[in-house]
Amino acid sequence: MADEIAYATIRELGERYRRRTLSPVEVTRHLLARIEKLDPALHAFVTVTADRALADARTAEQELRSGETRPLLGIPVAHKDIYLTRGIRTTAGSALVADWIPDQDATCVQRWQEAGTILLGKLITHEFAFGIQFPGHRFPAARNPWNLDHIPGGSSSGTGAALAAGLVTGATGSDTGGSIRGPAAFCGLVGLKPTYGRVSRAGILTLSWTLDHAGPLARTVEDCAHLFQAMAGHDPADPASSPLPVDDYLGELGGDVRGVRIGVPRTYFFDGVDPEVERAFEAALATLRRLGAEVRDVDIPSIHVVPSFMLIMLSEAFAYHERDIREHPELYGEVLRERLLGGALVTGAEYMQAQRLRARLCAEVADVMRTVDVLATPTAPKPATPFAAAHDPSFGFPRSNMPPFNMTGQPTLALPCGFSASGLPLSLQLAGRPFEEATVLQVGAAYERATDWHKRHPME
């Protein structure tokens, strides 16, 4: 019964709720007990909202009895702790706002609440959603449930750990350079970075205005689509929010991929790739070919301009934090403080040049996307890093396959495609045309149906 509840999908929970063989209150109590048992070793949660969760569950039960059929009704979720939650502490993983209790909800929080979700709590994030969680951090680092000695990915580290360990059914993340897809890759999950502007960032603490994306993580593509459907859409409170209508992201999930054109950009994305990662990726391509997809290599000449990502991110992050870091530098972690202050050294000319290179990359990718429907790469060149290596002062910023798609703003999905010999998850990354999340999800769902990687779980 533990597995049936802890790792049940949204569809499975909904069907059992409506047959009345399981209730939202039962599920909530079970998961709260599981959090109490497992989280002392995982450190996924900053705040557990047990009373709120049980109240949400009772409300969901009443609505279910009245015949309400919203797909997310009674589904247990949690939010990355940069999402504002009214009346509930929002720490951003930082001593600067460790005791802050907002008086409003982020738009995504509000939309999931309106969809009937049950809020189990807030999940640890790297400080202000930046990079790696170094020693000296205000809160203990979340651990990877597949191996507690390895990182769960950042900065949505608590989200990755909680989902992989079966503590929640769905959760939010944010992605400036891979912080949805990284935890998905390292924890054996599905994570969707939507098109820039598709999901509101109102009420989510900023790292980089032009690179930040908000989106869902879950354990299956269908669950991710359900969560995304409820959070997508225009929001006048976010100046970058798109007014384009929202598609039906669930309607095409059962479709096949015959004739879908998949492009593989090998330059950059295979630099330093681990042999196990490459083998798993090639096997995933073989599966997609067997399902009828057309796979071919493509070239993106300016892909190596991605170092400009760092100039953009650091300068925008410093601009956001400038007042606080000048007035209260001691409340920032030492590593984060040094890196934010590095953003002050980026000149206006350098920032503009980085944006020009970004525009060139976007134009080249748009040209490629006229010839293919989806791009496929390994999500990460290596499995999850051990904490011992990540905390080495020389570790710096590891090379990543994820920032290019923050630069272009394309919808990008990460999903499991294998395991290393040491038992760590490996991941496939799929990127589509802007606002064509439905295509990316359809390809991901077809691959998922043909494999069983997503059915494996740690902690049992």
Side-chain angles (χ1 to χ4, degrees):
M1 179 63 72
D3 276 354
E4 291 178 9
I5 293 178
Y7 292 110
T9 67
I10 289 171
R11 179 196 295 270
E12 289 165 349
L13 287 177
E15 289 175 349
R16 293 194 64 183
Y17 288 163
R18 287 164 183 86
R19 292 199 307 265
R20 298 193 180 181
T21 60
L22 189 66
S23 76
V25 170
E26 287 178 276
V27 170
T28 300
R29 286 177 174 155
H30 178 82
L31 293 183
L32 288 172
R34 189 172 173 87
I35 292 167
E36 185 177 8
K37 175 185 176 183
L38 298 179
D39 200 53
L42 293 173
H43 305 300
F45 279 84
V46 178
T47 303
V48 177
T49 53
D51 291 343
R52 162 70 180 270
L54 289 168
D56 287 348
R58 294 185 188 102
T59 298
E61 285 197 11
Q62 292 173 358
E63 294 189 41
L64 285 162
R65 290 193 197 103
S66 70
E68 179 60 54
T69 59
R70 285 171 292 167
L72 294 186
L73 185 59
I75 300 302
V77 302
H79 293 292
K80 181 176 181 177
D81 208 24
I82 60 168
Y83 282 67
L84 272 60
T85 41
R86 183 166 58 89
I88 300 169
R89 185 173 66 149
T90 300
T91 72
S94 174
L96 185 71
V97 290
D99 299 310
W100 181 35
I101 300 178
D103 59 4
Q104 63 177 333
D105 284 323
T107 298
C108 289
V109 171
Q110 180 181 350
R111 288 179 176 176
W112 277 12
Q113 182 178 340
E114 291 169 352
T117 59
I118 296 168
L119 180 60
L120 293 180
K122 305 295 291 295
L123 300 165
I124 188 64
T125 171
H126 297 171
E127 188 173 7
F128 286 112
F130 189 104
I132 196 72
Q133 189 165 324
F134 287 91
H137 192 270
R138 172 65 174 78
F139 299 94
R143 299 276 165 172
N144 191 323
W146 292 95
N147 186 323
L148 298 182
D149 292 329
H150 289 251
I151 66 172
S155 61
S156 307
S157 54
T159 296
L163 280 164
L167 306 185
V168 295
T169 305
T172 50
S174 66
D175 195 312
T176 304
S179 293
I180 288 173
R181 292 160 289 155
F186 293 160
C187 293
L189 305 169
V190 179
L192 176 66
K193 180 196 78 64
T195 306
Y196 185 81
R198 180 73 293 175
V199 172
S200 174
R201 300 164 305 169
I204 303 173
L205 294 175
T206 300
L207 177 57
S208 172
W209 289 285
T210 69
L211 296 168
D212 287 350
H213 299 65
L217 290 94
R219 289 185 292 268
T220 69
V221 174
E222 184 181 46
D223 280 5
C224 214
H226 273 296
L227 296 163
F228 176 53
Q229 191 77 57
M231 70 198 312
H234 180 62
D235 178 13
D238 180 355
S241 179
S242 171
L244 291 176
V246 174
D247 293 333
D248 176 6
Y249 301 114
L250 291 148
E252 302 298 322
L253 282 187
D256 61 45
V257 293
R258 285 194 294 268
V260 172
R261 300 168 300 172
I262 298 176
V264 182
R266 295 188 180 273
T267 301
Y268 175 84
F269 291 100
F270 287 81
D271 294 351
V273 70
D274 186 282
E276 289 185 306
V277 171
E278 187 167 8
R279 284 194 294 270
F281 176 76
E282 296 298 341
L285 290 185
T287 297
L288 289 166
R289 286 191 185 96
R290 190 166 61 251
L291 295 173
E294 301 172 9
V295 181
R296 64 182 180 87
D297 287 359
V298 296
D299 185 45
I300 305 171
S302 293
I303 195 66
H304 286 292
V305 306
V306 170
S308 61
F309 161 83
M310 290 303 302
L311 288 176
I312 295 168
M313 190 267 286
L314 286 172
S315 57
E316 293 184 359
F318 173 75
Y320 180 80
H321 286 277
E322 181 177 7
R323 185 192 65 185
D324 288 329
I325 205 167
R326 290 188 189 280
E327 294 180 357
H328 302 288
E330 75 285 356
L331 295 180
Y332 286 81
E334 181 180 354
V335 175
L336 176 61
R337 183 172 65 245
E338 290 178 357
R339 294 187 175 177
L340 287 176
L341 289 173
L345 303 178
V346 179
T347 68
E350 289 170 334
Y351 178 80
M352 290 307 301
Q353 189 72 347
Q355 291 287 14
R356 288 182 64 230
L357 292 170
R358 179 186 191 175
R360 180 192 299 174
L361 172 65
C362 290
E364 289 180 0
V365 171
D367 284 343
V368 169
M369 296 306 296
R370 293 186 183 96
T371 67
V372 298
D373 303 301
V374 172
L375 297 175
T377 77
T379 307
K382 299 181 185 299
T385 306
F387 275 101
H391 288 167
D392 188 308
S394 64
F395 184 64
F397 285 101
R399 204 199 65 74
S400 173
N401 284 352
M402 293 171 269
F405 301 117
N406 294 88
M407 298 278 277
T408 62
Q410 295 168 258
T412 313
L413 184 75
L415 70 160
C417 70
F419 286 85
S420 71
S422 61
L424 293 171
L426 306 175
S427 180
L428 170 67
Q429 180 172 237
L430 302 171
R433 300 187 192 95
F435 299 101
E436 292 190 10
E437 283 87 355
T439 299
V440 173
L441 290 164
Q442 179 185 351
V443 174
Y447 173 77
E448 187 180 78
R449 285 194 300 274
T451 60
D452 67 354
W453 306 117
H454 63 290
K455 296 179 181 179
R456 304 187 187 186
H457 307 300
M459 305 302 292
E460 296 297 339

